[in-house]
Amino acid sequence: NAGVTQTPKFQVLKTGQSMTLQCAQDMNHEYMSWYRQDPGMGLRLIHYSVGAGITDQGEVPNGYNVSRSTTEDFPLRLLSAAPSQTSVYFCASSPWTSGGGTDTQYFGPGTRLTVL
Amino acid sequence: DQQVKQNSPSLSVQEGRISILNCDYTNSMFDYFLWYKKYPAEGPTFLISISSIKDKNEDGRFTVFLNKSAKHLSLHIVPSQPGDSAVYFCAAHTSGTYKYIFGTGTRLKVLA
């Protein structure tokens, strides 16, 4: 049971480039989410999904796209990278069994992204 | 508008003493609160949680207190150990929604 995995661990992009951050979980969790962590800002929700085919925006969705074609995978796409997207990105999953979001979220190890 | 605030960016405590980490919130609709612990180069891990129908929840050395009237929660670690040195995030959630709102984090350093 690998939990939540993220690839790559590190990435450097040039302004305007696009890329996809990968996230996978093997716990059959319905809920998955993406956060970014910036100094002094804590963790901010980018997008989330409550099941395959269902996604919605979080606090800071601009410049990012997501899709959820399977329960296991939840990739985050940067359409045209900007220096403001330099951050550490965390993916998380939760079973959401209670229906009220009181389940623990399990986080991946993160992807450190630098946009030059 | 920061709905969940951790006003102390850092805290240093001697080993064996109590660590108290604080968190304030502004949204009275929050009804579930969680604390996460994060080591460098790792993802956050769940520590302890509390529902708004309670005012205290305890798990070993960790206790979370909730004061709804003051919109304030605190995490107590007793006794503090060097392995507790990490960044601690509080998070809040409203039933029926799918979003967690995190605070900015407090870096705890436990001195041996």
Side-chain angles (χ1 to χ4, degrees):
Chain A
N1 193 338
V4 179
T5 58
Q6 292 184 238
T7 56
K9 284 188 167 42
F10 302 95
Q11 183 70 48
V12 179
L13 291 178
K14 294 181 179 178
T15 297
Q17 287 184 315
S18 63
M19 79 158 295
T20 299
L21 307 185
Q22 301 291 345
C23 174
Q25 52 93 7
D26 60 359
M27 297 174 282
N28 201 33
H29 287 171
E30 290 297 322
Y31 182 92
M32 296 185 74
S33 56
W34 277 101
Y35 293 87
R36 58 179 289 174
Q37 184 193 5
D38 302 293
M41 301 295 289
L43 291 162
R44 292 183 292 170
L45 181 65
I46 305 172
H47 285 287
Y48 66 92
S49 169
V50 297
I54 306 170
T55 63
D56 206 347
Q57 297 180 351
E59 301 171 79
V60 288
N62 292 341
Y64 307 95
N65 268 1
V66 292
S67 60
R68 184 97 178 269
S69 56
T70 67
T71 299
E72 296 76 22
D73 300 298
F74 190 43
L76 178 72
R77 297 183 187 84
L78 279 71
L79 308 172
S80 177
S84 61
Q85 294 178 304
T86 294
S87 187
V88 181
Y89 291 85
F90 292 100
C91 178
S93 74
S94 171
W96 214 260
T97 54
S98 66
T102 56
D103 297 290
T104 303
Q105 289 196 90
Y106 297 83
F107 283 83
T111 294
R112 185 174 293 274
L113 176 68
T114 301
V115 183
L116 304 175
Chain B
D1 177 32
Q2 192 77 24
Q3 297 185 67
V4 179
K5 300 177 186 179
Q6 295 177 255
N7 292 318
S8 297
S10 63
L11 174 68
S12 291
V13 171
Q14 287 290 332
E15 180 179 7
R17 305 295 292 269
I18 184 172
S19 295
I20 300 176
L21 294 89
N22 295 304
C23 181
D24 297 294
Y25 62 96
T26 58
N27 189 342
S28 58
M29 297 300 291
F30 290 144
D31 55 7
Y32 197 73
F33 303 90
L34 309 94
W35 284 94
Y36 284 83
K37 176 179 179 179
K38 185 185 178 306
Y39 292 118
E42 295 183 10
T45 55
F46 171 74
L47 191 58
I48 192 169
S49 62
I50 188 166
S51 165
S52 61
I53 62 173
K54 296 184 176 181
D55 55 18
K56 176 183 174 181
N57 189 26
E58 193 171 352
D59 184 2
R61 297 187 295 114
F62 303 91
T63 303
V64 57
F65 295 92
L66 176 61
N67 182 334
K68 289 188 290 293
S69 60
K71 294 191 177 68
H72 176 84
L73 64 154
S74 60
L75 174 68
H76 292 211
I77 307 173
V78 183
S80 300
Q81 299 174 353
D84 296 329
S85 297
V87 177
Y88 290 78
F89 292 99
C90 65
H93 177 266
T94 302
S95 293
T97 72
Y98 298 105
K99 299 179 183 179
Y100 295 86
I101 306 298
F102 280 78
T104 52
T106 296
R107 183 179 302 276
L108 172 66
K109 188 170 185 179
V110 180
L111 307 170

